[in-house]
Structures are given as structure tokens and as C-alpha cells.
Amino acid sequence: MRNTQGLTFTPLHPVIAAECKGVDISEPISSQVADVIHDAMDRYGVLVFRQGKPMTTEQQLRFTRSLGELEGLYTKIESEEGRRLETPLLSDISNLTPSNKLLPPDDRKRQFQMGNRLWHSDSSYKKIPAKYSALCAHVIPPAGGETEFADMRAAWDMLDDVTKNNIKGLVAEHSRIFSKGTLGFEFTEKERHDFAPVRQPLVRTHPRTGRHSLFLSSHAGRIVGWQLPEALMLLRELTEHATQREFVYRHTWRLGDLVMWDNRVTMHRAQQYDDLKYPRDMRRSTVTCGAPALAYTESLPDLATAA
Ligand code: OGA
Ligand code: MN
């Protein structure tokens, strides 16, 4: 437990995640409080704010903006009726149609969102990936629907030196074609074009703490210069290593919780629930990294020039 600016942080797990109290994030926060939150994110990777009631769109966007620039808009699969939420700045992480009915089994958006149950880092398929994601719980199902977070710094630290040396400097290609593809999802010609793979370092260095972390995601599906089976095997083995129980915090949601994670140092995944029977309504705001991840790898000088 620590106290600065009246905020307290109580660890929820030995290596990752803490609950933050002592600040009302539905009100504007000072830059000093924002600094304390950044420091805590650097330390814990995941912060939980239990608020008891969901934030309004305005409150959530104001809080997120006080921590950084929001991520730009990007191509999504929308339900045929269009958008459910009033602003495209919030990602609709729900199983609902724009008229708040449950999505039917064959709905494309429903099937696409199933990809959230694969371990991933948000927007790793974009040249400029996500920094923080903040997810607020509006409606939660009676059972299931937890979210798990894995610590990619601990995962890096616990690799043996031979593996560390072998993978330092590798570049992976990320695309939603790879992640959703593993679930058998089929893409239109336009989506294949829009979802062209982007390159990301396999090992990142945090710009503030200097700590290394594995940059894994279900979106990763190639390693530059490697044969495909070897690349997929390595990605699979690293993911298995990185998601061992000792590196994972599981969040059981309560109404109004806001959970914020640093996508640079964590992976996360949703847990199954009976989505054909119960609504689950979560809304996500996202802070961008601001620059490609390859720019943050000064200690790995070969990366940017890898073939
Ligand atoms: C997300 C996400 C998981 C969940 O919002 O980016 O992956 O449990 N959510 O809804
Ligand atoms: Mn996600």
C-alpha cells in the first residue's frame, strides 16, 4: 500500500495489478494525480478502480484523455444496424445490437469479438499500437465473462538467457487476419487489404522503466525472415510460457469497475460466458502509444533494419 496525493494502491497479485483508491476518476483529475497514476501503471501494469456505478461517456473520455492522446479510429466490423454507442471513441465491447438486443449466433460482429478470448495486446495489428486501454463495466453477466491479464515483463524475466538472446531483435508481423483466422473467420477482399500485417518487435523496452517485455499477441502470425512453421511454433511456445498461472491476474467484474491496463507490458483475454442468454456491456477507451513500437527499442539496435 502506498500513499501519494491521497491515492492508495493495493496489489491484487504477486507480480501484476493493483486496486487504486482515494481518487474519484469520474471527476477531473490534476496533473499531479495523473503522474501518480502513470507511476502506478509503470509498476503494476493493470489498475482497478471500483466505482460502484458506470462512468458516463463524457467522464470516461475525460479521464482517459487526462492520461494521454486517444487512439484514432480504425476499420471495424459493425453490426448491420450500425453503431450502438454514441461516439466512435469508445469501443463497444458488448454482445448487443444498436437496439440493445442480444447478437444472434451467426452475427459477424459476435464472431469477430470472439477473438477477444485469445490472448492479445490491443491494436498490436496497428503500426502505432495501444498504450493504455480502459474498460468500464456497464452490464455484467451472472457467471463467467471475467478478464485475465498476463505480465509480459515477468514472462521476459523468467526466460533463460539462451532464449533471450535468440529472440532479442526478432520482428513479428501482426494482423487480425492471423488472430481471427485461427478461429476460422473468413475475410472479404477489402478486409484482407485493410488488415495488411504490420511489423512489431518481439521484445520491447519500456521507455520509462527500461524493463524488457515480450510483445506477444494472438495477432502475431509471422516472424520476419523465419519459416512459417518455426515462427508459429516459437510464438506458441512463448505464449504458453508467458501465460502461466503465476503471471496471470484474473479480474472478476463488478458493476462500474474501470480496469486500465498497459498494452506494452501485458496481454489480456476475455473469459467465456453465456452470451446468447445474458447481456454483457463493456466500453473501452484507448490511449495511443503515439509512435511505432520499433521506435522504443533503442537497446535492440538491429531491429529497425531487420529484413
Ligand atoms: C478489450 C478486451 C476483454 C473482455 O476490451 O480490449 O479484450 O473481457 N476485452 O471484454
Ligand atoms: Mn482487447
Side-chain angles (χ1 to χ4, degrees):
M1 182 96 77
R2 287 193 306 167
N3 273 274
T4 336
Q5 296 283 324
L7 281 73
T8 64
F9 297 95
T10 310
L12 296 166
H13 178 278
V15 296
I16 182 178
E19 178 173 355
C20 176
K21 286 190 189 149
V23 58
D24 181 358
I25 59 168
S26 66
E27 293 292 327
I29 58 166
S30 65
S31 64
Q32 289 87 344
V33 167
D35 287 345
V36 173
I37 292 175
H38 285 300
D39 287 346
M41 285 296 279
D42 287 350
R43 178 163 172 179
Y44 298 107
V46 179
L47 290 180
V48 173
F49 301 85
R50 302 248 192 217
Q51 308 180 93
K53 75 169 195 240
M55 292 171 105
T56 64
T57 297
E58 195 195 336
Q59 289 168 339
Q60 184 170 348
L61 292 179
R62 180 178 56 210
F63 173 67
T64 319
R65 279 198 177 106
S66 60
L67 298 170
E69 187 195 334
L70 295 187
E71 186 170 71
L73 308 177
Y74 53 102
T75 339
K76 281 228 195 88
I77 291 189
E78 297 289 349
S79 152
E80 273 170 23
E81 282 178 72
R83 183 185 306 293
R84 187 178 70 94
L85 303 180
E86 62 204 274
T87 167
L89 292 170
L90 285 182
S91 295
D92 184 6
I93 311 292
S94 79
N95 58 337
L96 301 169
T97 68
S99 43
N100 284 319
K101 302 221 171 55
L102 297 175
L103 293 171
D106 61 349
D107 185 277
R108 217 164 174 253
K109 181 181 165 213
R110 170 176 183 264
Q111 296 184 355
F112 207 71
Q113 288 218 141
M114 238 171 243
N116 278 350
R117 282 164 54 194
L118 302 169
W119 284 110
H120 65 282
S121 173
D122 287 333
S123 302
S124 74
Y125 53 80
K126 295 168 74 177
K127 276 201 189 84
I128 299 182
K131 181 176 177 180
Y132 300 153
S133 293
L135 191 62
C136 187
H138 287 247
V139 178
I140 45 188
E146 300 88 353
T147 307
E148 292 190 331
F149 299 91
D151 191 327
M152 296 299 106
R153 306 163 299 184
W156 165 263
D157 291 345
M158 297 301 282
L159 286 173
D160 59 77
D161 287 347
V162 173
T163 311
K164 281 182 180 167
N165 280 327
N166 284 345
I167 67 172
K168 233 178 146 158
L170 293 179
V171 175
E173 291 190 343
H174 294 232
S175 165
R176 282 175 285 181
I177 292 173
F178 301 143
S179 47
K180 320 289 178 187
T182 62
L183 298 178
F185 202 85
E186 285 170 20
F187 298 90
T188 63
E189 206 52 47
K190 180 175 184 307
E191 285 163 352
R192 291 208 159 268
H193 175 263
D194 291 347
F195 298 171
V198 303
R199 291 182 172 192
Q200 305 289 7
L202 190 57
V203 182
R204 297 177 95 166
T205 308
H206 190 289
R208 276 161 47 108
T209 66
R211 281 188 79 179
H212 292 315
S213 56
L214 285 175
F215 190 13
L216 295 170
S217 189
S218 59
H219 306 304
R222 302 279 184 275
I223 290 178
V224 176
W226 281 43
Q227 297 296 311
L228 186 55
E230 277 162 295
L232 292 179
M233 204 62 239
L234 175 68
L235 291 169
R236 181 184 289 222
E237 282 175 352
L238 288 175
T239 302
E240 281 178 11
H241 161 78
T243 56
Q244 303 171 56
R245 297 320 297 178
E246 60 185 296
F247 305 143
V248 174
Y249 165 67
R250 166 185 273 223
H251 186 70
T252 302
W253 292 91
R254 289 188 215 151
L255 186 70
D257 284 357
L258 181 115
V259 177
M260 183 164 69
W261 60 91
D262 186 339
N263 289 289
R264 299 171 300 178
V265 300
T266 58
M267 279 205 288
H268 60 282
R269 67 172 177 185
Q271 298 286 283
Q272 199 267 337
Y273 68 101
D274 191 348
D275 72 303
L276 295 174
K277 202 160 165 194
Y278 300 108
R280 181 178 188 263
D281 182 352
M282 319 281 277
R283 303 177 187 187
R284 196 187 87 204
S285 43
T286 315
V287 171
T288 177
C289 268
L294 284 165
Y296 282 120
T297 52
E298 324 78 74
S299 60
L300 310 165
D302 295 331
L303 277 177
T305 54

